[in-house]
Amino acid sequence: MNTADLGLPVDVPSTALFTDHYELTMLQAARANGTAERPSVFEVFTRRLPEGRRYGVVAGTGRVLDAVANFRFDADQLEYLRAHRVVDEDTLAWLAGYRFSGDIWGYPEGEVYLPGSPVLRVEGTFAECVLLETVILSILNHDSAIAAAASRMSSAAGDRPLIEMGARRTHELAAVAASRAAWIGGFSTTSNLAAGYRYGIPTTGTSAHAFTLVHDDERAAFEAQVASMGPDTTLLVDTYDVENAVRTAVEVAGPELGAVRIDSGDLLLVAHRVRDQLDALGARNTRIVVTSDLDEYAIASLAAAPVDAYGVGTQLVVGSGHPTCSMVYKLVARARTTEPGAPLEPVAKRSVGGKASVAGRKWAARRRDAAGIAEAEVVGTGEVPEELRESQLLVPLVTKGEVVAREPMSAARARHKAALEALPLSATQLSRGEPVIPTEYHLSEQAAERESPRARG
């Protein structure tokens, strides 16, 4: 299956029921009145970034491709739908043969996005596209939120590595996805073995407080760990008294002690004291790792501290206060007939309350200044201006139902680093602010007529 294409060991099961009830009832009604086969275009975008954030990060694209490829209704799932009378027999027969046969374009994984960016564009019949809404949004909203938090934390950490260790603070499957998104966003390793197994992310970890407590004293715990893992291990030194623990750690492991971990207290103060103590004991190369409910602000506050690495859990897997990106999946164009190649007409939701959308099948490009730094996200319909054709952001992901854009995660990780470097320097500021570059709309006359008043403004 798909994951084997990249040499990954875990297959993705059927995703067909990772959807909402009303997707199937819409399908049934549309099939009954003849609109199900109308050529249609859906787009994924967010109307705004989380408050104070300056950019978003696209993550989860690889998982979306797996989800689309595995959107298949097996016999047990169809029987469930039949038993609960979700849809009629005619619709069940159609679902039994469901295979997405359309096209998907999107921002490549790791790219940054702004409000209004058409992060994903799904094209096909209304019937085959509408079914994918829920699973696509659930993946992109979660993974992009985690990647954005990871990106901010990575920027705050600078050259110091970040360890993802949030598995115990979220759903067990979400934890694996979070590890993947965090690695794309700049984290170096994860504590989650499932993430290492599934995605090849480097894993790390040594011991917790329980290991110290199960021994009669701290020295016995350290001796056992060093005997098992060698002196280059990381010893946890804040179970009892940090100063005594550091002294004991160096006595047991010698000056070759790999690292000590501090998991509580005033990390800035304690890190300085521990560094001084390690140096005085001759362990000048012993690293200091800090953990304890860190977020990007806490990491930034430790920039001047003698810290060598950070371990981040809770705040990462909850998106550092923003666990979703509020992405939506909206129909933006459709044909009036079911004929292949029928002209598409822009459509848009016009409701008030900040939930309006912009009509039309859109392209996106990032305009840059003479130095190559981004200065605007340009979103448009119709012809792409000549000067922007080489700066377009959407790439083909699925063509006629076939995935065409599988890539190793290292490509997405490198892409994010490059995308961030091409933004204005203010992008990495942690202070609250507006999106780092504005979104400009270049709409065709037809799309502009359908556009909401809010979007025109």
Side-chain angles (χ1 to χ4, degrees):
M1 203 232 43
N2 326 47
T3 49
D5 295 343
L6 296 178
L8 302 177
V10 179
D11 289 347
V12 178
S14 169
T15 53
L17 293 186
F18 292 169
T19 191
D20 289 313
H21 186 117
Y22 78 170
E23 311 290 10
L24 300 190
T25 55
M26 283 192 289
L27 169 67
Q28 177 176 304
R31 281 177 49 76
N33 78 351
T35 56
E37 298 303 312
R38 285 186 172 187
S40 299
V41 180
F42 287 80
E43 289 177 352
V44 176
F45 61 93
T46 185
R47 297 181 176 94
R48 63 193 64 84
L49 298 176
E51 184 180 357
R53 295 285 176 89
R54 297 171 186 260
Y55 63 91
V57 180
V58 178
T61 308
R63 298 206 309 121
V64 165
L65 297 180
D66 282 343
V68 172
N70 288 279
F71 205 95
R72 307 279 191 269
F73 290 86
D74 62 29
D76 289 343
Q77 293 169 333
L78 292 169
E79 183 53 40
Y80 165 80
L81 297 175
R82 177 180 292 111
H84 290 269
R85 299 182 180 180
V86 176
V87 290
D88 59 25
E89 287 297 325
D90 180 69
T91 304
L92 288 171
W94 187 89
L95 291 173
Y98 177 86
R99 301 291 186 272
F100 180 74
S101 63
D103 298 335
I104 300 178
W105 292 68
Y107 281 38
E109 192 159 23
E111 183 59 85
V112 299
Y113 69 88
L114 285 302
S117 297
V119 170
L120 204 71
R121 192 175 73 216
V122 183
E123 306 180 10
T125 66
F126 176 82
E128 64 180 342
C129 294
V130 75
L131 292 182
L132 300 178
E133 174 180 8
T134 304
V135 69
I136 285 176
L137 287 180
S138 68
I139 293 171
L140 291 181
N141 267 314
H142 174 269
D143 290 22
S144 296
I146 305 304
S151 177
R152 285 163 59 86
M153 293 173 185
S154 181
S155 293
D159 294 332
R160 298 171 179 177
L162 290 159
I163 307 163
E164 185 280 313
M165 46 197 303
R168 62 191 62 191
R169 294 292 187 262
T170 189
H171 184 281
E172 66 273 18
L173 298 182
V176 182
S179 295
R180 182 185 184 281
W183 198 77
I184 289 171
F187 274 57
S188 300
T189 56
T190 179
S191 67
N192 191 311
L193 289 176
Y197 175 65
R198 183 184 289 266
Y199 297 119
I201 302 170
T203 63
T204 190
T206 51
S207 66
H209 293 291
F211 184 77
T212 300
L213 294 170
V214 76
H215 289 82
D216 293 338
D217 56 48
E218 201 165 44
R219 179 178 292 273
F222 289 172
E223 288 173 343
Q225 185 172 326
V226 171
S228 176
M229 301 178 188
D232 194 38
T233 190
T234 299
L235 297 176
L236 182 59
V237 295
D238 72 326
T239 304
Y240 303 118
D241 178 80
V242 172
E243 184 177 353
N244 289 335
V246 171
R247 182 182 307 108
T248 302
V250 176
E251 289 174 357
V252 170
E256 298 80 22
L257 174 62
V260 295
R261 178 162 74 96
I262 307 166
D263 188 49
S264 59
D266 183 336
L267 296 179
L268 179 62
L269 176 63
V270 175
H272 278 287
R273 288 178 174 175
V274 167
R275 181 74 271 158
D276 289 344
Q277 187 180 8
L278 288 169
D279 290 349
L281 293 170
R284 294 185 175 276
N285 294 323
T286 298
R287 303 178 303 279
I288 296 176
V289 180
V290 296
T291 54
S292 186
D293 289 329
L294 298 178
D295 61 11
E296 61 266 48
Y297 302 103
I299 292 169
S301 74
L302 293 168
V307 171
D308 297 284
Y310 306 93
V312 187
T314 303
Q315 290 304 314
L316 175 72
V317 297
V318 298
S320 195
H322 297 288
T324 180
C325 304
S326 299
M327 289 182 181
V328 295
Y329 184 96
K330 296 299 180 184
L331 182 67
V332 296
R334 54 101 176 111
R336 284 188 178 272
T337 73
T338 60
E339 294 298 319
L344 294 169
E345 297 183 356
V347 294
K349 182 177 179 179
R350 294 178 178 271
S351 63
V352 297
K355 298 187 74 172
S357 56
V358 179
R361 179 184 184 273
K362 288 177 277 299
W363 50 263
R366 191 160 298 147
R367 191 172 68 240
R368 302 172 185 266
D369 64 18
I373 301 300
E375 58 182 15
E377 190 88 341
V378 186
V379 177
T381 58
E383 289 295 318
V384 181
E386 180 67 33
E387 67 273 15
L388 293 175
R389 288 182 183 175
E390 298 301 317
S391 303
Q392 293 187 75
L393 293 164
L394 282 87
V395 299
L397 302 173
V398 176
T399 301
K400 295 183 179 179
E402 296 296 323
V403 174
V404 297
R406 293 203 179 279
E407 63 180 6
M409 283 171 46
S410 57
R413 179 181 171 92
R415 182 180 297 116
H416 176 62
K417 184 175 185 293
L420 201 57
E421 289 174 349
L423 293 179
L425 287 175
S426 59
T428 58
Q429 291 178 341
L430 296 182
S431 57
R432 292 182 178 274
E434 296 299 314
V436 65
I437 57 174
T439 302
E440 299 177 358
Y441 288 96
H442 287 216
L443 304 182
S444 66
E445 183 177 344
Q446 186 185 26
E449 290 174 355
R450 298 270 183 166
E451 187 191 350
S452 71
R454 179 182 178 277
R456 282 199 299 270

